[in-house]
Amino acid sequence: MTPRPTRPRLPAWSATLTWKAAVFITVMCCALAALLGALVHVSVTRQTVNSAREKALSRLTSVTRTYEAGEPLPRFAGLDAPGLPEPLRALALRGRRGTMVADFDGRPTMWAAGPADGRTLVARVDYTLSQNTITNLDQAILGSSALAIGATLLVGAFAVTRVTRRLHLTARVARRIGAGDLDARVNDPRAKGPSRPQDEVATVAAALDTMASTLQDKLLSEQRFTADVAHELRTPLTGLSAAAELLPESRPTEMVRERVRTMRTLTEDLLEISRLDARTEQVDLAVHPLGPLVAGVVRASGAQCEVRIVRDVPVETDRRRLERVLGNLVANAHRHGGPPVVLTVDGPTVTVRDHGAGYPAYLLEHGPQRFRTEGGGKGHGLGLTIAVGQSAVIGAGLVFGDAPDGGALARLTLPAYVPDGTSDRGLGEPDGRSPDSPSPGGRPPGTHPP
């Protein structure tokens, strides 16, 4: 089977509106210049040729009278003159008069010929001046057309660039809004004043600003609702937890205490998510060796994990938040994946790999979603959502994927640490905690359900 030939791909810049507008303006200007130039050329050439033809026929009439009077013919006339074009000679021999432009002695000449006693009587008019007039006119048409095309192209490019610049600004603001910057606005001046006429770009910009404001208001309302609910739940949960501790030891008591702990953990996670959504978190940066920090997270979680250190490097990050991210990834791998769970440190990159069924398709396509369930089971929700949010706070990249040979794989890439020689901070926290100590608050990382 013969493979179908692939069409060559055009460069990316050829799809831009500026390029398309420039091509359209150029083509239209060339077509208009060609049309006007052709009309002017035809009109002037017709007038010039008619004037020369009338002059040649007038001379032929005068020469005919001279010939009939038996007087000598002038130097611009003759019988059967050499150089006479054959079509004009044949026309005269048939008894008709005619004119024709042809060269004579290397110069353009307007010939006029008529019958004279079975011979051809000829009169000539120098056509050089008329020919030069037409040539100069053609050159002037080409020059003025090129100048007009260039000027029109510059003006058109300037006008189109102003429009495309505003479109690019609107697109950049839309991308910023899509990335989470809900304060971004186009603020097109044409869309602010109701008395100013609005073009289509201003209408799109105003619609985008309105959409962003509405979306921001809705998200802020949801964030406030989440934070308020979590705050309101803390007080009754604290009382419920204290009451559960007073119950006599029994299986129902253990179930009540377990549900209370789950509710407290869920409430704390909701508060953390509300803080992340508000984008008010502050980082406490310090330099840490990444390998021992990862090993400490595994020990604090109490889970069976294999730690592989391919290349250990120091990283400048917020240790507490990094422990939170790694702890949630480890807990998620044990809860929803399959053993063995392997953590690999390779430079500033940490991968958490399990050997289960892998991440759900919706998570790989859209990322973690809060309280999302898959197949009726407990899905990836708050734990991975917090991991993504805390990764963004410390400037790390967290990517979810499936390993080629099966299993889920999360890759956390921290910003590379480049010593500048001006910092006197050593490896470890400023408060002197060792890399393997648990997180502040007495709660080991990774204990919150993903």
Side-chain angles (χ1 to χ4, degrees):
M1 182 177 180
T2 305
R4 298 179 60 183
T6 58
R7 297 178 58 185
R9 297 187 61 181
L10 297 176
W13 53 263
S14 63
T16 61
L17 181 61
T18 303
W19 165 252
K20 293 180 178 179
V23 171
F24 175 77
I25 292 173
T26 302
V27 171
M28 293 304 297
C29 286
C30 290
L32 183 61
L35 178 61
L36 294 178
L39 292 176
V40 173
H41 172 82
V42 170
S43 177
V44 174
T45 301
R46 182 182 294 113
Q47 293 178 6
T48 304
V49 171
N50 289 338
S51 177
R53 179 179 292 111
E54 291 176 359
K55 185 177 180 180
L57 290 176
S58 177
R59 284 191 175 184
L60 180 62
T61 302
S62 177
V63 169
T64 301
R65 294 196 189 100
T66 302
Y67 174 75
E68 292 175 349
E71 298 177 359
L73 299 176
R75 57 182 181 82
F76 55 79
L79 286 172
D80 297 329
L84 178 66
E86 288 301 325
L88 193 57
R89 186 189 302 275
L91 182 66
L93 291 177
R94 290 198 299 270
R96 301 175 60 185
R97 302 174 69 183
T99 59
M100 186 175 181
V101 178
D103 288 343
F104 179 72
D105 290 339
R107 298 171 63 89
T109 302
M110 175 66 75
W111 294 83
D117 299 331
R119 303 178 66 184
T120 303
L121 186 61
V122 178
R124 297 186 302 271
V125 174
D126 190 4
Y127 195 70
T128 303
L129 183 60
S130 299
Q131 185 67 45
N132 291 338
T133 300
I134 296 175
T135 302
N136 294 335
L137 175 65
D138 292 342
Q139 294 176 353
I141 291 175
L142 291 176
S144 60
S145 298
L147 183 62
I149 291 172
T152 306
L153 187 60
L154 289 177
V155 174
F158 174 74
V160 173
T161 302
R162 293 188 62 186
V163 175
T164 55
R165 188 184 300 116
R166 295 166 59 197
L167 289 174
H168 285 308
L169 174 61
T170 304
R172 286 197 300 269
V173 171
R175 284 191 289 267
R176 288 173 56 190
I177 295 173
D181 184 7
L182 298 181
D183 293 325
R185 297 292 186 273
V186 180
N187 291 327
D188 195 316
R190 295 170 179 80
K192 291 184 177 180
S195 60
R196 300 185 62 178
Q198 293 188 12
D199 57 8
E200 288 78 2
V201 180
T203 303
V204 173
L208 179 63
D209 288 348
T210 303
M211 180 197 70
S213 299
T214 304
L215 179 62
Q216 185 177 34
D217 293 340
K218 290 183 178 179
L219 290 179
L220 291 177
S221 177
E222 292 178 1
Q223 292 172 12
R224 286 192 297 268
F225 175 77
T226 302
D228 292 343
V229 168
H231 279 291
E232 292 297 327
L233 287 176
R234 296 182 76 178
T235 301
L237 282 175
T238 301
L240 185 60
S241 177
E245 295 297 330
L246 300 176
L247 295 175
E249 295 296 336
S250 63
R251 177 58 182 165
T253 299
E254 289 298 323
M255 294 177 61
V256 170
R257 291 173 180 174
E258 180 184 356
R259 296 298 183 271
V260 171
R261 286 194 295 268
T262 301
M263 285 294 296
R264 292 190 64 180
T265 300
L266 178 60
T267 302
E268 295 297 330
D269 286 347
L270 288 175
L271 285 173
E272 186 172 357
I273 287 177
S274 66
R275 291 192 298 268
L276 291 172
D277 289 341
R279 300 179 180 270
T280 57
E281 297 286 75
Q282 300 294 327
V283 295
D284 183 14
L285 297 179
V287 182
H288 310 275
L290 186 57
L293 191 149
V294 173
V297 170
V298 172
R299 285 195 297 271
S301 68
Q304 294 294 326
C305 298
E306 178 184 354
V307 179
R308 300 175 182 174
I309 300 179
V310 179
R311 181 169 59 94
D312 191 14
V313 297
V315 293
E316 186 175 21
T317 186
D318 188 322
R319 173 178 176 156
R320 179 181 64 85
R321 298 182 189 280
L322 180 57
E323 289 175 341
R324 183 79 161 114
V325 173
L326 294 176
N328 280 8
L329 293 178
V330 170
N332 181 81
H334 279 281
R335 180 164 301 183
H336 302 283
V341 177
V342 181
L343 279 77
T344 304
V345 178
D346 188 0
T349 301
V350 181
T351 57
V352 181
R353 159 81 186 282
D354 64 58
H355 291 74
Y359 289 115
Y362 79 88
L363 188 144
L364 297 178
E365 183 176 358
H366 303 290
Q369 300 180 23
R370 304 169 190 180
F371 303 107
R372 174 69 183 267
T373 59
E374 185 74 11
K378 194 171 184 180
H380 304 271
L382 298 183
L384 292 183
T385 301
I386 291 174
V388 172
Q390 295 288 12
S391 299
V393 171
I394 62 177
L398 180 56
V399 179
F400 301 99
D402 288 337
D405 53 347
L409 188 147
R411 179 177 288 104
L412 178 68
T413 304
L414 297 165
Y417 170 65
V418 180
D420 56 4
T422 61
S423 174
D424 57 357
R425 292 181 300 184
L427 298 181
E429 289 281 355
D431 59 5
R433 291 189 293 117
S434 65
D436 296 341
S437 61
S439 301
R443 184 174 60 193
T447 58
H448 294 282

Short mmCIF file of all heavy atoms in Angstrom, two decimals, residues 8 57 73 88 103 114 149 175 180 201 234 295 358 435:
data_model
loop_
_atom_site.label_atom_id
_atom_site.label_comp_id
_atom_site.label_asym_id
_atom_site.label_seq_id
_atom_site.Cartn_x
_atom_site.Cartn_y
_atom_site.Cartn_z
N PRO A 8 3.13 19.48 3.51
CA PRO A 8 4.11 20.25 4.29
C PRO A 8 3.40 21.19 5.26
O PRO A 8 2.41 21.83 4.93
CB PRO A 8 4.88 21.03 3.21
CG PRO A 8 3.95 21.10 2.04
CD PRO A 8 3.16 19.82 2.08
N LEU A 57 -1.66 59.31 -41.36
CA LEU A 57 -2.63 59.33 -42.44
C LEU A 57 -2.72 60.71 -43.08
O LEU A 57 -2.92 60.84 -44.31
CB LEU A 57 -4.01 58.91 -41.90
CG LEU A 57 -4.15 57.43 -41.51
CD1 LEU A 57 -5.51 57.17 -40.89
CD2 LEU A 57 -3.92 56.52 -42.72
N LEU A 73 8.57 63.59 -54.18
CA LEU A 73 8.07 63.17 -52.86
C LEU A 73 9.03 63.62 -51.76
O LEU A 73 10.24 63.67 -51.96
CB LEU A 73 7.91 61.66 -52.80
CG LEU A 73 6.90 61.05 -53.80
CD1 LEU A 73 6.89 59.53 -53.70
CD2 LEU A 73 5.51 61.62 -53.54
N LEU A 88 1.22 45.47 -44.19
CA LEU A 88 0.76 46.77 -44.65
C LEU A 88 0.88 46.89 -46.16
O LEU A 88 0.04 47.49 -46.84
CB LEU A 88 1.55 47.88 -43.95
CG LEU A 88 1.00 49.30 -44.08
CD1 LEU A 88 -0.43 49.38 -43.56
CD2 LEU A 88 1.90 50.28 -43.33
N ASP A 103 9.71 49.04 -36.76
CA ASP A 103 11.02 49.69 -36.70
C ASP A 103 11.48 50.08 -38.11
O ASP A 103 11.24 49.36 -39.10
CB ASP A 103 12.04 48.77 -36.05
CG ASP A 103 11.82 48.62 -34.55
OD1 ASP A 103 11.09 49.46 -34.00
OD2 ASP A 103 12.35 47.66 -33.94
N GLY A 114 -0.82 53.35 -48.86
CA GLY A 114 -2.03 53.36 -49.67
C GLY A 114 -1.69 52.98 -51.11
O GLY A 114 -0.50 52.99 -51.52
N ILE A 149 1.50 50.42 -2.56
CA ILE A 149 1.38 49.13 -1.87
C ILE A 149 2.17 49.15 -0.57
O ILE A 149 1.69 48.71 0.48
CB ILE A 149 1.85 47.99 -2.78
CG1 ILE A 149 0.88 47.80 -3.95
CG2 ILE A 149 2.00 46.69 -2.01
CD1 ILE A 149 1.36 46.82 -4.99
N ARG A 175 -5.31 33.50 30.05
CA ARG A 175 -4.44 32.43 30.53
C ARG A 175 -4.11 32.61 32.01
O ARG A 175 -4.02 31.64 32.77
CB ARG A 175 -3.17 32.38 29.70
CG ARG A 175 -3.36 31.75 28.32
CD ARG A 175 -2.05 31.47 27.65
NE ARG A 175 -1.38 32.70 27.24
CZ ARG A 175 -1.50 33.27 26.05
NH1 ARG A 175 -2.29 32.69 25.15
NH2 ARG A 175 -0.86 34.38 25.75
N GLY A 180 -5.31 30.60 37.66
CA GLY A 180 -5.70 30.86 39.03
C GLY A 180 -5.60 32.29 39.49
O GLY A 180 -5.99 32.61 40.62
N VAL A 201 -13.07 44.02 19.86
CA VAL A 201 -12.06 43.63 20.84
C VAL A 201 -12.43 44.15 22.22
O VAL A 201 -12.29 43.45 23.24
CB VAL A 201 -10.68 44.14 20.40
CG1 VAL A 201 -9.61 43.73 21.41
CG2 VAL A 201 -10.31 43.59 19.02
N ARG A 234 -15.17 22.72 64.23
CA ARG A 234 -14.09 22.42 65.17
C ARG A 234 -14.58 22.40 66.61
O ARG A 234 -14.19 21.53 67.41
CB ARG A 234 -12.98 23.46 65.02
CG ARG A 234 -12.30 23.42 63.66
CD ARG A 234 -11.19 24.42 63.58
NE ARG A 234 -10.00 23.98 64.31
CZ ARG A 234 -8.87 24.68 64.35
NH1 ARG A 234 -8.80 25.85 63.73
NH2 ARG A 234 -7.84 24.21 65.02
N ALA A 295 13.69 10.15 53.65
CA ALA A 295 13.75 8.99 54.54
C ALA A 295 13.04 9.27 55.86
O ALA A 295 12.37 8.38 56.42
CB ALA A 295 15.21 8.61 54.79
N GLY A 358 -2.92 1.98 39.15
CA GLY A 358 -2.64 3.28 38.54
C GLY A 358 -3.70 4.30 38.88
O GLY A 358 -4.73 3.99 39.50
N PRO A 435 16.91 16.70 60.41
CA PRO A 435 16.10 16.40 59.23
C PRO A 435 15.10 15.29 59.45
O PRO A 435 14.12 15.19 58.74
CB PRO A 435 17.15 16.02 58.18
CG PRO A 435 18.42 16.65 58.64
CD PRO A 435 18.34 16.64 60.13
#
